[in-house]
Amino acid sequence: MCTCIVSVPTSRLSTQEAILYTNTPPSLHDPLASSQAKLVQNAFITLKVSLIIGTFLTSIHPISSLLVNKSKKEAYRGKDMGSKDYDSSRKPSYQHAATRSKIKILLLLVLTNALSIFLFSGSGSAFGVKFWRYAPSVHVWDSEKLMLELNTTRARLSDSQSQLSALHNQLSTANSLLETLIADTKRFDQDSNNKQTGMWAREPSEELKLAMGPHKLPLGFTPNLGSDELFPTLGQACHKFQDELEKYLDYPVGGVCFSDDIFAQRLMLKGCEPLPRRRCKPPTPAGYVEPHPYPESLWSIPADTSITWDPYTCKNYACLVDRGNHPGSYDCKDCFNLFGREKDRWMRETSELDYSIDGVLELKPKGTIRIGLDIGGGSGTFAARMSERNITIVTTSMNFDGPFNSFIASRGLISMHLSVAHRLPFFDNTLDIVHSMHVLSNWIPDVMLEFTLYDIYRVLRPGGLFWLDHFFCIGTQLNSTYVPIFERIGFKQIRWNAGRKLDRGIEMNEWYLSALLEKPIS
C-alpha cells in the first residue's frame, strides 16, 4: 500500500477556508497571490483524492482478506474430512488467488494516482479533457510555464511592495498631519479656556462662565461691534473675589434671588462693578402698595411695605426718620427726615460755602439748565428741588444701612445704584450740570480723583456747570494737591470758596471747598 503525504501551511488557512478558496474562481482572488493559491488548491485537492483512495483501499483490503480466510477455512474443513488429495491439489490455487488480489490492489492504487496527476496537472487539456471551468492544475511537465508564473508573481510581489512602501509613507504623512491638527485643537481649546480662567484662581463655576461670556452673535459678525461675539460687562477686580462672586451667582435659575443686597454692594465697592447680570428675580415686598402721586411724592414718606427691610438695621421708615435724634455715625444720618434740614437745603445761601439752587441757575440763561447728575445724592433732595424747577436730575447713591435708592425712586426721581469709582454712564458733552456734595473728598486716592474729575468734564456740554459742594480736605492738601489737579483739567472758575471746618476744632486744620466751575465753550 502506498501512502501520499501532502504538506499544507495550516497556519495560514483552515480546512474550511481552503475548501472555500479552491471553489472560488481565480478571477475573484488577489492577482498577486494567484499562483500561490493554485498550489494550495492543488495540495488540498490531492489530499482529498488521497484520502478517498486510502479509504477505498482500506475498505477493499479487509474484504479480500475475508475471502482468502474463507477459502482457507473451507480447505481445512476438507482436510478434516479426510481428503488429503483435495488439500494438496487446492492449496496452490488459494495462494494464487491471494496474490492476484494484492496485485489488483496495487495496480488500482497506481492507476488512481496516475489519473489524479493526469487530471490536475493540466495535461488533460491537451487532449480536450476538462474537469470543470476553474479546475486547478500543477504544471508537472510544463516547467517553463510554471517558471513564467513564478516570475510574474515575483514581479507583482515586488510592485506590491513598492505600492505598500508608498502607502506607508502616505499614512505616515497623514498621521503626522493628524497629530499636528490634534495638537492645534488642544492649543485652541487651552487658549479659549485661558480667556475665561486665566485671571481666576480656579475654574469658574458654570453660572459665572455664562455671566462673563463671551457669547456668539446669532447673526454672526456685525460691523457695529467689529466682532462676532459679545462680552457682558464685568468689573475688572471681580476675579480677585471669586468666592464671593460665585456665591453671588449661586441661586435657583428662574427663581427668587436671595436677599443679598449688602453682600452685592460690598462686592461693588471692592471694584467688582458692574456686577454680572443674574438669572433670578428679586423678592417682592409683602403687601406692596402704590406710591404717592407726583408731585406729592417729592415730600412724602413712602409706605413701609414698599421695600424689603432684611438688609438694614431699621425695619421701617419711622426708624430712619428718627435716626438723626440718636447718637451714632451713619451716612447721611438725617437724610430721611424730609421735614428737618432736608427741607431747607439749597434753598438760600447761609454762608460762602452754601450756594443756593436759584443763585446758581441765575448764572445761566433761563431754561438752558435742563438735565444733570447728582453724584452721591443721599435721599434725592437736590434732584427734588431741581424737579420743582423742571430740571431732570439723575441721582447716584449707595445703600449704606438704608434704602437710599428705593427712597429716591419712591419720590418720583431717577436713582442709580452706582459707586464713585464707576465710569459715568453718559455720552460726551450731554449734561448741563453735575453736582456733588461731600462724596468727592480727600478720602479718594489722588489719581482716581483726577480720573473722576476728567470724567465729569467729559459728560458736561460746553458751557455746562460743575457744582463742587463742600469738598473736604486738609489745609496743606488744598494748594499742594487739589488746586493743581483742577488747573490741569481746565475748568473755568466762576465761584471758588474755601472755609474751615470747625466742628472738631481749629487745630485739625480741616477745610471745605465749594466751587462753581464751567466747561469752556472753546
Side-chain angles (χ1 to χ4, degrees):
M1 182 181 295
C2 178
T3 304
C4 296
I5 301 175
V6 180
S7 177
V8 180
T10 57
S11 61
R12 295 186 181 180
L13 293 173
S14 65
T15 303
Q16 291 182 349
E17 289 172 337
I19 293 171
L20 290 174
Y21 196 93
T22 56
N23 292 333
T24 305
S27 61
L28 301 179
H29 302 328
D30 184 354
L32 299 178
S34 61
S35 296
Q36 295 179 353
K38 288 181 180 179
L39 291 175
V40 174
Q41 292 171 354
N42 292 331
F44 273 95
I45 292 175
T46 305
L47 176 62
K48 289 172 63 179
V49 172
S50 298
L51 291 175
I52 294 171
I53 294 171
T55 304
F56 175 73
L57 293 178
T58 304
S59 63
I60 291 177
H61 179 67
I63 296 173
S64 62
S65 298
L66 180 61
L67 293 174
V68 172
N69 291 335
K70 184 176 181 182
S71 299
K72 287 182 179 181
K73 288 180 180 181
E74 290 177 354
Y76 285 119
R77 188 180 300 115
K79 183 179 179 181
D80 292 340
M81 294 175 62
S83 180
K84 290 183 178 180
D85 294 336
Y86 175 81
D87 179 58
S88 59
S89 63
R90 298 292 295 174
K91 189 172 183 179
S93 300
Y94 298 146
Q95 293 176 349
H96 293 161
T99 300
R100 285 196 300 271
S101 298
K102 292 180 179 180
I103 291 172
K104 290 178 181 179
I105 292 171
L106 180 60
L107 290 175
L108 182 59
L109 178 60
V110 172
L111 180 61
T112 54
N113 284 336
L115 182 61
S116 298
I117 293 173
F118 175 78
L119 292 175
F120 298 109
S121 66
S123 301
S125 61
F127 300 94
V129 179
K130 234 182 205 184
F131 247 159
W132 57 85
R133 184 178 179 184
Y134 301 109
S137 63
V138 179
H139 302 285
V140 178
W141 295 282
D142 194 358
S143 60
E144 292 183 0
K145 187 174 182 179
L146 178 60
M147 290 301 297
L148 180 61
E149 288 189 5
L150 289 175
N151 291 334
T152 302
T153 301
R154 187 179 295 109
R156 290 179 178 177
L157 180 60
S158 177
D159 183 60
S160 176
Q161 289 176 342
S162 299
Q163 293 179 2
L164 182 62
S165 177
L167 180 61
H168 182 268
N169 293 334
Q170 292 177 359
L171 288 175
S172 298
T173 303
N175 184 61
S176 177
L177 292 174
L178 182 60
E179 290 178 351
T180 303
L181 179 61
I182 292 174
D184 290 342
T185 302
K186 289 181 178 179
R187 192 180 304 109
F188 176 78
D189 292 340
Q190 185 66 32
D191 292 342
S192 298
N193 291 333
N194 289 339
K195 289 181 180 179
Q196 288 192 328
T197 63
M199 296 189 303
W200 303 95
R202 61 178 182 280
E203 183 78 9
S205 65
E206 291 303 316
E207 194 68 11
L208 178 53
K209 287 181 180 179
L210 291 175
M212 67 182 181
H215 301 287
K216 289 292 183 181
L217 295 172
L219 302 180
F221 179 87
T222 172
N224 291 336
L225 297 179
S227 175
D228 64 346
E229 57 186 8
L230 188 63
F231 282 85
T233 56
L234 186 67
Q236 64 92 16
C238 290
H239 70 277
K240 294 184 177 181
F241 311 101
Q242 185 172 352
D243 291 339
E244 292 94 326
L245 190 60
E246 290 182 346
K247 181 179 178 182
Y248 173 74
L249 292 170
D250 184 13
Y251 48 78
V253 175
V256 178
C257 303
F258 300 111
S259 182
D260 56 0
D261 296 6
I262 302 304
F263 177 80
Q265 181 172 274
R266 190 175 296 115
L267 266 176
M268 293 171 57
L269 294 173
K270 288 180 178 180
C272 187
E273 184 186 20
L275 288 167
R277 288 171 172 161
R278 299 199 290 187
R279 296 189 294 170
C280 60
K281 296 170 281 189
T284 301
Y288 181 82
V289 296
E290 294 289 335
H292 296 285
Y294 183 88
E296 178 187 343
S297 60
L298 291 175
W299 303 101
S300 299
I301 302 297
D304 292 336
T305 56
S306 61
I307 65 169
T308 55
W309 294 91
D310 295 345
Y312 313 117
T313 302
C314 285
K315 302 304 177 182
N316 52 60
Y317 279 113
C319 174
L320 290 174
V321 171
D322 193 49
R323 180 179 278 176
N325 299 323
H326 299 277
S329 177
Y330 297 94
D331 186 74
C332 203
K333 186 175 181 179
D334 56 356
C335 289
F336 292 96
N337 185 4
L338 299 182
F339 305 102
R341 288 199 306 168
E342 286 292 297
K343 191 72 173 179
D344 296 327
R345 203 185 294 274
W346 300 291
M347 293 301 294
R348 59 186 62 88
E349 295 189 9
T350 57
S351 69
E352 292 182 345
L353 298 175
D354 297 313
Y355 303 164
S356 68
I357 290 177
D358 293 331
V360 170
L361 295 179
E362 288 176 356
L363 298 175
K364 285 292 182 179
K366 186 175 182 179
T368 58
I369 303 296
R370 305 152 300 162
I371 55 176
L373 171 67
D374 187 16
I375 300 175
S379 59
T381 297
F382 180 84
R385 288 301 184 192
M386 297 292 272
S387 178
E388 292 173 337
R389 292 157 176 79
N390 296 319
I391 300 171
T392 301
I393 298 294
V394 176
T395 304
T396 69
S397 186
M398 302 298 290
N399 295 328
F400 290 116
D401 198 19
F404 288 93
N405 281 273
S406 299
F407 189 79
I408 293 170
S410 71
R411 300 177 74 177
L413 306 170
I414 302 172
S415 68
M416 296 187 70
H417 191 212
L418 204 68
S419 76
V420 70
H422 199 288
R423 182 180 187 269
L424 297 177
F426 303 98
F427 193 64
D428 303 353
N429 305 316
T430 54
L431 301 183
D432 299 318
I433 188 170
V434 174
H435 172 263
S436 179
M437 182 178 184
H438 293 308
V439 174
L440 298 181
S441 295
N442 68 343
W443 70 272
I444 301 175
D446 295 345
V447 173
M448 195 170 181
L449 176 63
E450 186 170 354
F451 272 97
T452 302
L453 294 174
Y454 268 107
D455 203 25
I456 293 171
Y457 187 95
R458 175 185 65 83
V459 299
L460 282 172
R461 63 169 176 81
L465 297 178
F466 174 36
W467 183 349
L468 184 62
D469 198 349
H470 287 76
F471 176 91
F472 173 80
C473 65
I474 303 300
T476 55
Q477 296 176 319
L478 185 58
N479 292 323
S480 63
T481 302
Y482 299 116
V483 170
I485 291 177
F486 285 103
E487 289 179 348
R488 284 196 298 271
I489 295 172
F491 282 114
K492 177 183 176 182
Q493 292 185 11
I494 297 178
R495 294 185 64 174
W496 185 278
N497 301 98
R500 286 183 178 273
K501 181 177 180 293
L502 300 174
D503 58 329
R504 297 204 305 166
I506 193 173
E507 67 278 2
M508 299 297 295
N509 195 26
E510 296 176 337
W511 288 72
Y512 277 130
L513 169 66
S514 291
L516 196 60
L517 308 173
E518 182 183 57
K519 181 176 180 178
I521 295 178
S522 60

